[in-house]
């Protein structure tokens, strides 16, 4: 079988750009296509936990990344009235001089990923995607939507929850499903006490505060939304305040500041788990295209970055693609499955108003994800 030299990455999200960086560092030729015409990113910010800080260090971009992020070590869990339940220290997995956890705006993270991928020599094309894909065993012929044709040794589907690559190869059988919950997010000027991730939980609702920069933080709250109703933009602030009605303490105080309809980022939670293996012929799926879950453990982007590190490492090790893909599945399936299933389970407990103690779940997740990938 022809060795892998030239790779197409479909999707310029966290996983796709991470793949471009990891593969260029190992000398592979990388073309990346992103369907959106510019690098706009949806959402507010993300939590980057210990294992993901380590993964970003392995991508070789941690110092650059930390310049535009907020570093912290602990995660605290509170009741909905604001009383503290537990503080869980994170592990400094990237080394003693680096933080355990980081909060970062999606925009800032994307800026670092795009700049690093471009600097390393990946070809990044916007506003283009794959029209057709023909894998003859020795290579994959791609017709792009702009009419260009190109042949690749490997195609990586990094095109997210509604992956077109997955659709072309797995068909309609693998489709995202709405879990019954949504998440609401809103940015605020950071309060001094929000210098780490603060999670507020109770049987009625779950919210949190995440620092993003010295000036900025965001709030999230999950809600049960039977039937996945369409939300009118003008109504979003009032609806988000309504979802926060049961909270006292800091969340209760901040609730009244939610007034800008354009500032509320509302997202129904949808999940998909592609049946293993996540590869067919010379095409492989990573990140949300393979295993999109809910954000209850804040690990989705982390799993995408870990996927690309493992895939790049196995490609560099060489040998037939069957070996590379088997090693990729062995190393990624158990962890991604655990994160996907545990996240969905927490959402189900929330929907059924089961008052769970999150501390052991978070501690277990931190222990498991601290293991080498
Ligand atoms: C509300 C919410 C909060 C979250 N919070 C966290 C968190 O705190 N921490 C964390 O680690 N994770 C979090 N996640 C999960 C995280 O956002 C995802 O797991 C992560 O973005 C997956 O990366 P990806 O690159 O696989 O997919 P995406 O980020 O979805 O990127 C896919 C890219 O492919 C592009 N694309 C789509 N179709 C095509 C096509 N046909 N051709 C070319 N390009 C295409 C898209 O435009 C996009 O740029 C959260 C998710 C949600 C919904």
């Amino acid at each position: 079988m022809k060795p892998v030299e030239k790779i197409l990455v479909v999707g310029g999200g966290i996983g796709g750009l991470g793949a471009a960086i990891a593969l260029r560092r190992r000398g592979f030729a990388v073309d990346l296509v992103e369907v959106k015409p510019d690098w706009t990113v949806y959402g507010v910010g993300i939590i980057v936990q210990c294992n993901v800080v380590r993964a970003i260090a392995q991508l070789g971009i941690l110092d650059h990344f930390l310049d535009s992020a907020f570093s912290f070590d602990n995660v605290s869990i509170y009741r909905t009235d604001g009383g503290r339940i537990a503080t869980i220290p994170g592990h400094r997995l990237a080394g003693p001089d680096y933080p355990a956890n980081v909060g970062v705006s999606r925009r800032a993270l994307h800026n670092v990923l795009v700049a690093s991928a471009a600097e390393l020599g990946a070809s990044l094309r916007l506003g283009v995607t794959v029209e057709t894909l023909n894998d003859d065993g020795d290579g994959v012929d791609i017709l792009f939507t702009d009419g260009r044709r190109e042949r690749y040794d490997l195609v990586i589907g990094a095109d997210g929850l509604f992956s077109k690559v997955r659709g072309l190869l797995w068909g309609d059988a693998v489709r995202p499903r709405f879990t019954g919950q949504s998440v609401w997010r809103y940015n605020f000027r950071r309060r001094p006490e929000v210098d780490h991730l603060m999670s507020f939980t109770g049987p009625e609702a779950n919210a949190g505060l995440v620092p993003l920069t010295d000036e900025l933080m965001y709030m999230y709250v999950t809600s049960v939304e039977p039937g996945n109703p369409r939300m009118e933009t003008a109504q979003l602030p009032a609806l988000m305040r309504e979802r926060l009605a049961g909270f006292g303490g800091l969340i209760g105080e901040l609730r009244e500041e939610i007034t800008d309809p354009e500032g509320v980022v509302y997202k129904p939670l949808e999940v998909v788990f592609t049946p293993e293996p996540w590869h067919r012929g010379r095409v492989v799926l990573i990140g949300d295209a393979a295993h999109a879950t809910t954000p209850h453990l804040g690990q989705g982007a982390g799993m995408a970055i870990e996927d690309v590190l493992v895939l790049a490492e196995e490609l560099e090790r060489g040998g037939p693609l069957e070996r590379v893909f088997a090693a990729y599945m062995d190393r990624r399936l158990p962890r991604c499955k655990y994160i996907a299933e545990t996240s969905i389970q927490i959402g189900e407990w929330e929907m059924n108003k089961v008052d769970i103690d999150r501390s052991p779940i978070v501690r277990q997740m931190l222990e498991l994800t601290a293991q080498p990938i």
Side-chain angles (χ1 to χ4, degrees), residues 11 13-15 34-35 47 106 129 159 183 185 288 298-302:
I14 295 168
E34 162 59 47
V35 74
I47 305 154
R106 285 190 183 251
T129 186
D159 48 349
V183 62
R185 287 160 294 166
D288 276 11
Q299 277 282 356

Side-chain angles (χ1 to χ4, degrees), residues 112-163:
V112 173
L113 291 170
V114 171
S116 306
E119 255 165 47
L120 287 161
S123 145
L124 309 177
R125 286 200 294 144
L126 288 164
V128 183
T129 186
V130 169
E131 180 75 54
T132 61
L133 175 161
N134 179 30
D135 183 348
D136 63 17
D138 277 337
V140 189
D141 290 311
I142 298 287
L143 169 61
F144 291 103
T145 45
D146 61 359
R148 270 170 67 161
R149 289 178 190 277
E150 202 81 45
R151 188 169 168 83
Y152 294 92
D153 303 318
L154 175 72
V155 174
I156 299 178
D159 48 349
L161 182 66
F162 297 99
S163 169

Side-chain angles (χ1 to χ4, degrees), residues 279-296:
H279 54 90
R280 295 236 163 133
R282 288 180 166 268
V283 182
V284 61
L285 302 178
I286 61 151
D288 276 11
H291 48 72
T293 190
T294 64
H296 291 89

Side-chain angles (χ1 to χ4, degrees), residues 28 66 85 204 260 266 297 369:
F28 295 97
L66 289 178
I85 299 172
E204 295 300 325
D260 174 12
Y266 173 75
L297 288 176
T369 53

Side-chain angles (χ1 to χ4, degrees), residues 7 9 16-17 19-25 28-32 113-125:
I7 301 175
V9 179
L17 288 164
I21 293 167
L23 293 165
R24 282 300 303 139
R25 288 209 186 280
F28 295 97
V30 178
D31 289 351
L32 181 150
L113 291 170
V114 171
S116 306
E119 255 165 47
L120 287 161
S123 145
L124 309 177
R125 286 200 294 144

